[in-house]
Amino acid sequence: MADETKNKQPGYDKITILKGLQPVRIRPGMYIGDTNSKGLHHMVWEIVDNSIDEAMAGFATRVIVTLTEKGTIIVDDDGRGIPTQIQENGLSGVETALCELHAGGKFDNETYKVSGGLHGVGASVVNALSLWMKVWVCRDGQIHFIEFDNKDKYHDTTNGHNVKPLKILGPVTEKKTGTTIEFFPDFSIMEKFPFDHSIIAGRLQQLAYLNKGIKIIFDDKILGTKDEWMYEGGLKQYIADLNKDKEVLVQAIIYGEQEKEVKAPTEGKDTTYNIKVEVAFQYNKTYVPSTYSFCNNINTTEGGTHEEGFKLAITKIINRFAVEKKFLKESDDKVTKDDVLEGLTAIISIKHPNPQYKGQTKGELGNTEVRPLVNEITSNIFEKYMLENPEEATFIVKKVLLAQDARRKSQEVREATRRKSPFDSGSLPGKLTDCEFKDNTVTELYIVEGDSAGGSAKQGRAHEYQAILPLKGKILNVEKAKTNKIFENDEIMALITAIGAGVNPEFDLTKIRYDKIIIMTDADVDGAHIRILLLTFFFRYMLPLIEQGHIYAAQPPLYKFISGKITKYAYTEVELEDLKKQVGSSKYTIQRYKGLGEMDAQQLWETTMDPENRILHHVSIDDAIKADQTFSFLMGDDVQPRKDFIAQNAKYVKNLDV
């Protein structure tokens, strides 16, 4: 008889059953995406979304988020309070909601007609990833309290958590209901990042825009600030603020909302859903589109059926008006979606009890019943506006026709950017010094300011995988330029052909020729200006490069420090002072670098290009809407806000190269 033990796989006969919240702690990335700063803030959104859901359902009027000095987050609302009565599982409603995956009222459409929390994973996951969590519930005239503790991991093997039983602290002092949750992240699981004020404030303000009439307060005890948002105008106020640094084409913000029962197939049968649609939009005099969509307060960054319905409606109405008013003939080419979106700032927000998404990221809405609904409301309000405001309608149509003309003029130039192969060097710009490797998972493109620095970079680079593209001065500011002018610019065309993936809307990330695209400019005002011009171009015309983490900014040293036979480089004033302290009373010399051109090839390699020593700053976008506002502010036509900003902040500048 054969020895069966020889054929056994190690551990095959041992099956581990993870109970309660244990799976979350062991595989946190499956539930919140990652354990870095983004995952940390996702924990905040999960708790906040629950409170917003209460407000959306009409049971709460305000939400208060507090960042405490000890690094905890407190979320307080005046909703109904989490149920405290014993459930079917023998646990209180609070313990069930916070300790059982997939538990809670949101899975019953009668409790929450729509819910932002359905996009996430729930408060129970936040509990699992917290060192401790405390919950106060005011309901039924009593203050209930429960505390969860993961410090000693899983003492309660039944439910996979250590919980102190729900208790009543006493009666409420006034007629009050609501839930207060405080949690402290478990940094043995989460990476130790601090909560970011700007990220939290930005998201809370956005929630206030999307849910008109709800008061949201952010009390940052660390910074000593307290912000309060409540927008009765909702999306109209959102559009006004998005366009505040842009010159508007027409003053009116076109707005409409509608709530309608719609039938949609669900699991083989038709189900009736009550769907709410809100749209708001306004034209400005820029040449870039700014269209953002939301489903149940969650930004659908990849669009979906709600965006499709909106864009179809806008295109249809403008084409109809252009023909009726004799701007176009019936036989003429009609304006396209890209033409009508140029210079349009728009927000589309839907509330749906059963959202369906395409792909794993949940960034694209897939509900087919939403498309005609958004199309209908957008068509109705836009047609009404155009008929009642013929002069403003003419302004809009003329702008769209100019966009159509610019698109036609730039079409041939765009075609020149499309190469049969991303590695076909026949059409590469002459100023590009390419690398030897063709593997775009390891190659790097350095975009270098000036011919002098470009020459040093070419000599000092690792020629196997580093390519050099020198720029002659400052590129065109695409925030102010017409589309055809952009594609007639030599420096921009060199960038497009070197990267090899085209431009929006045909940009194809799979065709990029380099994994890292590194902006290397002087550490002065002009260098910063060139950097922001390049980032503006990437943001407007190659956004996936930023979204997928391919854009970097190199940090050259400010000083060369020599003491005896020791030569070191300082990238900041603090580093320079540390070097001075290290040598003490010894003699030293300091060279202040005014530009990259002052470094020879070896110095440039050692300080700014060698992967072992260089400092690269990763360019990322957490909030595309905020980035849109920032680029419009920095690079747009309206100069006065920038002058005001400089006047207010000039006193904080310590070093200015001129």
Side-chain angles (χ1 to χ4, degrees), residues 61 208-215 229-238 255 257 278:
T61 62
Y209 283 125
L210 294 169
N211 300 276
K212 59 184 176 183
I214 298 175
K215 182 185 292 186
W229 303 279
M230 186 173 72
Y231 300 108
E232 294 294 348
L235 296 193
K236 291 182 72 172
Q237 184 62 53
Y238 204 173
Y255 172 82
E257 64 177 312
E278 276 190 279

Side-chain angles (χ1 to χ4, degrees), residues 310-441:
F310 173 81
K311 293 173 182 177
L312 285 169
I314 297 292
T315 307
K316 175 184 66 180
I317 296 300
I318 288 182
N319 272 314
R320 183 190 300 169
F321 191 92
V323 171
E324 289 176 354
K325 301 301 179 183
K326 311 301 182 186
F327 290 104
L328 288 175
K329 298 178 182 178
E330 285 285 357
S331 58
D332 288 341
D333 289 338
K334 300 303 185 284
V335 298
T336 67
K337 174 186 66 178
D338 294 327
D339 299 330
V340 304
L341 292 179
E342 187 175 285
L344 180 66
T345 301
I347 301 286
I348 306 104
S349 176
I350 73 161
K351 305 292 172 61
H352 197 302
N354 187 31
Q356 304 296 320
Y357 297 93
K358 298 178 182 178
Q360 295 297 316
T361 61
K362 296 187 177 180
E364 182 179 357
L365 188 69
N367 297 72
T368 56
E369 71 277 7
V370 167
R371 188 187 296 108
L373 187 59
V374 177
N375 191 320
E376 177 187 345
I377 183 175
T378 305
S379 296
N380 290 341
I381 62 173
F382 193 32
E383 184 174 41
K384 183 175 184 291
Y385 173 80
M386 298 285 272
L387 291 172
E388 293 178 353
N389 302 275
E391 185 177 4
E392 288 81 358
T394 299
F395 293 154
I396 292 173
V397 172
K398 285 184 175 180
K399 176 176 176 58
V400 172
L401 292 175
L402 285 173
Q404 181 192 50
D405 184 56
R407 173 176 56 82
R408 287 169 174 166
K409 289 178 180 178
S410 65
Q411 196 63 39
E412 290 184 6
V413 187
R414 282 177 179 259
E415 289 293 335
T417 70
R418 301 175 187 148
R419 306 208 312 275
K420 293 181 180 179
S421 165
F423 302 119
D424 178 9
S425 60
S427 60
L428 293 177
K431 60 171 63 181
L432 174 70
T433 300
D434 210 356
C435 53
E436 295 175 4
F437 293 169
K438 303 302 181 185
D439 181 357
N440 66 359
T441 65

Side-chain angles (χ1 to χ4, degrees), residues 454-470:
S456 296
K458 290 174 185 177
Q459 295 176 39
R461 71 191 175 117
H463 57 85
E464 296 88 358
Y465 62 90
Q466 290 180 333
I468 307 297
L469 181 66

Side-chain angles (χ1 to χ4, degrees), residues 59 105 538:
F59 299 111
F538 289 136

Side-chain angles (χ1 to χ4, degrees), residues 38 65 84 139-140 186 213 225 323 368 400 408 441 463-464 479 512 517 519 534 584 591 608 610 644:
K38 191 172 183 179
V65 179
T84 55
R139 62 177 294 151
D140 304 322
D186 188 343
T225 60
V323 171
T368 56
V400 172
R408 287 169 174 166
T441 65
H463 57 85
E464 296 88 358
E479 195 76 13
I512 59 173
I517 297 168
I519 302 169
L534 286 166
Q591 179 184 352
T608 320
D610 181 359
D644 295 341

Side-chain angles (χ1 to χ4, degrees), residues 212-228:
K212 59 184 176 183
I214 298 175
K215 182 185 292 186
I216 300 179
I217 298 170
F218 179 33
D219 188 359
D220 188 333
K221 299 294 186 183
I222 296 175
L223 294 181
T225 60
K226 192 171 186 177
D227 299 296
E228 182 176 314

Side-chain angles (χ1 to χ4, degrees), residues 633-647:
F633 171 76
L634 292 173
M635 310 304 291
D637 283 317
D638 197 349
V639 177
Q640 192 58 46
R642 289 195 291 277
K643 286 184 176 180
D644 295 341
F645 177 82
I646 292 169

